[in-house]
Amino acid sequence: MARDMRGAAAGLACLALGLAGCTADGPAGADPGPPRDGGTLRVVGSSDVEHLDTASVASVGGFGLTRLFSRTLLGIRASNDIGVTMSVRADVAAKVPTRGHGISADGLTYTLRLRPGVRWDTAPPREVTAGDFERGFKRLCNPASPSSSQAYFLPTLRGMAEYCRAFGRVSGRDPAAIAAFQRTHTIPGVRAVGDRTIVFRLIRPASDFLNLLTLQATAAAPAEYDRFLPDGPDFRRNTISDGPYRIASYRAGQSITLDRNPAWSAATDPLRERHVATIRITFGQDSPDVVQQQIEAGAADLAWDQPVPTSVLPRVRADPRFAIQRTPSNSPYVVFNTRSPNNGGALARADVRRALSYAVDRSALVKLVGGPSVARPLHGVIPPGSSGFAPSDPYPTPGDAGNPAECRRRLAAAGAPHLTLTFPYRTNSVHRQIAESLAANLRACGVETRLRADSGGNFYRSTIADPAQAREGHWDIAAPGWTPDWYGNNGRSVLQPLLDGRLYGPNSTNYGGYDSPDVDRLIDRALTASSPESAARLWRLADQRVMVDAPIIPLLDRSTTVFHASRVRNAQFLPTASSYDYSRLWLAD
């Protein structure tokens, strides 16, 4: 117990200091020794990726997977020190631009040169060009599988909003029409100059633009992708790699196997390495206990989408294979479907949502996921360690244990004493237990919940990301999670994608369709603030305004518990992927 409390206190101190220099909570592993090449890394978990196309990828698992075969202009390097991972580094770009050296004096033009020797795994291999990166940006708005990351670029890049509006009128079922639009239309703010230079022109200065260029959604896209429907079945069978690994086999819902990309050169890649010969990811195992047993027995090496089961945490605390990695997040949180017609449209009303905010027992959820060294109650949208965070508790309850009497009283005052809510939940990890705990909280308020298991990656791919399902009332509440796409100056990577009403649509991460002009105006002011400090103040105001409307119920700021097999060496963590970097580890046998 003393060890748990020390870990929690150290973690919170790190967050208060902005995370710099903070490391994982757990025993340090032995010196990994010299790298050893070869062998098969065996990764086991529950659900397939919701998107395999980098234009659409939006989950932490997808980020960790796609960076193995799809590179960006800038990026981050994995480390067990989260402060190290916050640094923006060059990837395919030859160097990170700075003011006067690639960034214009007015902060509106960014010019990046590509490093030579980065090649696609084509026959014969050919160099990645600036045009491939321009194509990647054009694909963000494709109507077949639009990217949630376009939210970052619509208010930032010149002409992006107009380009996307026009692209939205193209059939999302016709790959030829999609490709033709991309070839015949340009984004004024994204321009390839020859094969080795790409120029970005901004609407207004953005202090986080370099961070945006680290996102997997901005990866280069080869011309061959024009043949396929974005993220469709044919696309998933025909990915092309410019990273250390390539997809050798994709079996939907069953497995992904990656092998070495012969066109990749370590000399051209400052962020990744390549040691194991094969990476095999197997889906279909929903039980975190079974996954943990397989790793401890040496039958698997890493978990794909399962944290270490809460029940085994006391036993593995001192195990050098175990760590608690700091990943400040809003994970999970309750989102209300404000577009649901159920219950007479009650969830569209802020007074009903505010009443339900008093129901939640966060103290029980902390215990479910492993205790205070793993998670802390969260009461606002923005988690600690992120721009705009400030401690708050707009709907306080004794001991964070919920107040069903207050919930009942407020529901009655709102004229909604009897609600029935459809609640889909993810089947991996502890999500079923979390859903059951929340359902019990609501039951104490007189609210009936209809729990529905949602497996196979559909939860994020379609259930809560499809506005049609929201409008038709297929769900009322859900408990997704959100890990920022980057740390540091990251206000827009938390609040904007979750709650900007102008971004609601297919694949949007504003799952509940919340729309507030007041919040949108605060977002715009934060994005155009003259300094990170001014931006942080405006993000904080936006957070406070959101919580008045209560479109979501923040639950936990949760770290990631990870465990690897005994033969795994040099496990380096990627916080934005909530996993170890598969490219940098090696196997001892």
Side-chain angles (χ1 to χ4, degrees), residues 107-162:
L108 295 178
T109 303
Y110 287 66
T111 303
L112 292 90
R113 290 275 295 169
L114 274 58
R115 68 176 73 239
V118 180
R119 297 181 298 171
W120 294 114
D121 179 30
T122 51
R126 68 173 188 274
E127 292 230 347
V128 174
T129 68
D132 295 329
F133 280 100
E134 183 176 0
R135 183 180 299 104
F137 274 85
K138 288 182 175 183
R139 297 180 77 251
L140 291 177
C141 301
N142 78 79
S145 186
S147 174
S148 60
S149 293
Q150 66 178 285
Y152 297 133
F153 298 101
L154 291 172
T156 305
L157 288 173
R158 291 187 185 180
M160 187 77 177
E162 294 80 3

Side-chain angles (χ1 to χ4, degrees), residues 190-342:
V190 184
R191 183 168 62 94
V193 181
D195 286 343
R196 296 279 300 282
T197 302
I198 187 163
V199 178
F200 298 97
R201 300 189 187 280
L202 279 55
I203 298 170
R204 58 186 67 87
S207 61
D208 58 2
F209 188 68
L210 295 179
N211 298 98
L212 299 187
L213 296 182
T214 71
L215 301 179
Q216 278 301 114
T218 68
E224 287 83 352
Y225 283 2
D226 286 352
R227 303 173 187 168
F228 311 113
L229 196 68
D231 205 37
D234 289 337
F235 174 93
R236 293 190 174 205
R237 290 190 293 268
N238 291 277
T239 55
I240 296 174
S241 174
D242 61 351
Y245 293 92
R246 61 184 180 184
I247 294 180
S249 170
Y250 173 74
R251 301 170 65 198
Q254 300 181 54
S255 65
I256 299 176
T257 300
L258 300 99
D259 62 14
R260 290 173 173 170
N261 172 12
W264 178 82
S265 167
T268 71
D269 197 333
L271 304 180
R272 302 161 191 79
E273 299 171 22
R274 186 176 66 193
H275 300 295
V276 301
T278 304
I279 301 169
R280 183 176 300 124
I281 305 169
T282 304
F283 309 122
Q285 183 47 259
D286 290 340
S287 169
D289 293 285
V290 171
V291 172
Q292 180 69 18
Q293 291 165 11
Q294 291 180 358
I295 296 172
E296 291 192 44
D301 298 307
L302 293 173
W304 164 248
D305 56 359
Q306 307 276 26
V308 178
T310 303
S311 60
V312 307
L313 290 178
R315 176 171 59 79
V316 300
R317 291 281 184 185
D319 194 314
R321 298 171 293 177
F322 170 77
I324 300 174
Q325 298 284 356
R326 302 298 174 190
T327 49
S329 63
N330 192 336
S331 186
Y333 64 93
V334 171
V335 60
F336 294 107
N337 177 7
T338 66
R339 310 298 175 101
S340 173
N342 303 330

Side-chain angles (χ1 to χ4, degrees), residues 74-123:
L74 305 176
I76 62 171
R77 186 166 171 83
S79 172
N80 292 321
D81 181 336
I82 194 171
V84 172
T85 68
M86 290 166 59
S87 297
V88 174
R89 303 169 188 266
D91 188 352
V92 178
K95 61 182 180 180
V96 178
T98 57
R99 192 63 64 96
H101 300 277
I103 304 176
S104 63
D106 59 6
L108 295 178
T109 303
Y110 287 66
T111 303
L112 292 90
R113 290 275 295 169
L114 274 58
R115 68 176 73 239
V118 180
R119 297 181 298 171
W120 294 114
D121 179 30
T122 51

Side-chain angles (χ1 to χ4, degrees), residues 216-583:
Q216 278 301 114
T218 68
E224 287 83 352
Y225 283 2
D226 286 352
R227 303 173 187 168
F228 311 113
L229 196 68
D231 205 37
D234 289 337
F235 174 93
R236 293 190 174 205
R237 290 190 293 268
N238 291 277
T239 55
I240 296 174
S241 174
D242 61 351
Y245 293 92
R246 61 184 180 184
I247 294 180
S249 170
Y250 173 74
R251 301 170 65 198
Q254 300 181 54
S255 65
I256 299 176
T257 300
L258 300 99
D259 62 14
R260 290 173 173 170
N261 172 12
W264 178 82
S265 167
T268 71
D269 197 333
L271 304 180
R272 302 161 191 79
E273 299 171 22
R274 186 176 66 193
H275 300 295
V276 301
T278 304
I279 301 169
R280 183 176 300 124
I281 305 169
T282 304
F283 309 122
Q285 183 47 259
D286 290 340
S287 169
D289 293 285
V290 171
V291 172
Q292 180 69 18
Q293 291 165 11
Q294 291 180 358
I295 296 172
E296 291 192 44
D301 298 307
L302 293 173
W304 164 248
D305 56 359
Q306 307 276 26
V308 178
T310 303
S311 60
V312 307
L313 290 178
R315 176 171 59 79
V316 300
R317 291 281 184 185
D319 194 314
R321 298 171 293 177
F322 170 77
I324 300 174
Q325 298 284 356
R326 302 298 174 190
T327 49
S329 63
N330 192 336
S331 186
Y333 64 93
V334 171
V335 60
F336 294 107
N337 177 7
T338 66
R339 310 298 175 101
S340 173
N342 303 330
N343 303 289
L347 294 185
R349 296 167 45 195
D351 55 350
V352 173
R353 301 192 299 264
R354 284 193 287 264
L356 294 172
S357 297
Y358 285 95
V360 174
D361 183 352
R362 291 178 178 84
S363 65
L365 299 179
V366 169
K367 294 175 184 176
L368 271 178
V369 301
S373 64
V374 175
R376 297 137 299 273
L378 186 66
H379 303 94
V381 181
I382 300 173
S386 298
S387 178
F389 169 76
S392 66
D393 193 355
Y395 306 103
T397 65
D400 265 319
N403 188 336
E406 182 68 7
C407 175
R408 283 176 176 269
R409 185 187 71 78
R410 287 175 174 261
L411 284 175
H418 306 294
L419 299 174
T420 299
L421 304 178
T422 299
F423 186 172
Y425 64 89
R426 292 172 281 171
T427 56
N428 63 313
S429 182
V430 294
H431 296 303
R432 178 179 61 81
Q433 294 96 312
I434 288 171
E436 290 172 347
S437 180
L438 293 170
N441 298 159
L442 292 168
R443 192 178 309 117
C445 292
V447 176
E448 178 185 350
T449 58
R450 295 174 178 168
L451 293 175
R452 189 181 78 227
D454 199 322
S455 60
N458 289 326
F459 181 80
Y460 283 121
R461 182 168 56 238
S462 57
T463 301
I464 64 172
D466 181 356
Q469 294 208 36
R471 290 192 303 269
E472 293 165 9
H474 291 295
W475 66 280
D476 295 301
I477 60 172
W482 186 258
T483 297
D485 288 329
W486 67 91
Y487 290 102
N489 181 20
N490 69 343
R492 88 156 93 194
S493 78
V494 181
L495 195 143
Q496 185 188 25
L498 296 185
L499 295 159
D500 190 326
R502 297 162 294 188
L503 305 178
Y504 185 62
N507 284 353
S508 167
T509 48
N510 178 1
Y511 302 117
Y514 172 69
D515 189 8
S516 165
D518 288 343
V519 171
D520 293 348
R521 280 191 288 270
L522 284 168
I523 289 172
D524 288 345
R525 289 176 61 195
L527 292 176
T528 58
S530 58
S531 68
E533 293 75 20
S534 297
R537 181 181 62 82
L538 290 162
W539 289 123
R540 187 157 48 251
L541 289 173
D543 193 339
Q544 293 167 357
R545 182 65 184 84
V546 165
M547 292 311 300
V548 170
D549 288 345
I552 70 169
I553 306 176
L555 298 175
L556 301 177
D557 165 29
R558 184 178 174 191
S559 298
T560 301
T561 55
V562 284
F563 192 95
H564 62 72
S566 298
R567 68 178 189 151
V568 171
R569 298 287 186 271
N570 198 45
Q572 301 292 322
F573 196 70
L574 280 165
T576 54
S578 293
S579 69
Y580 291 120
D581 184 345
Y582 303 152
S583 78

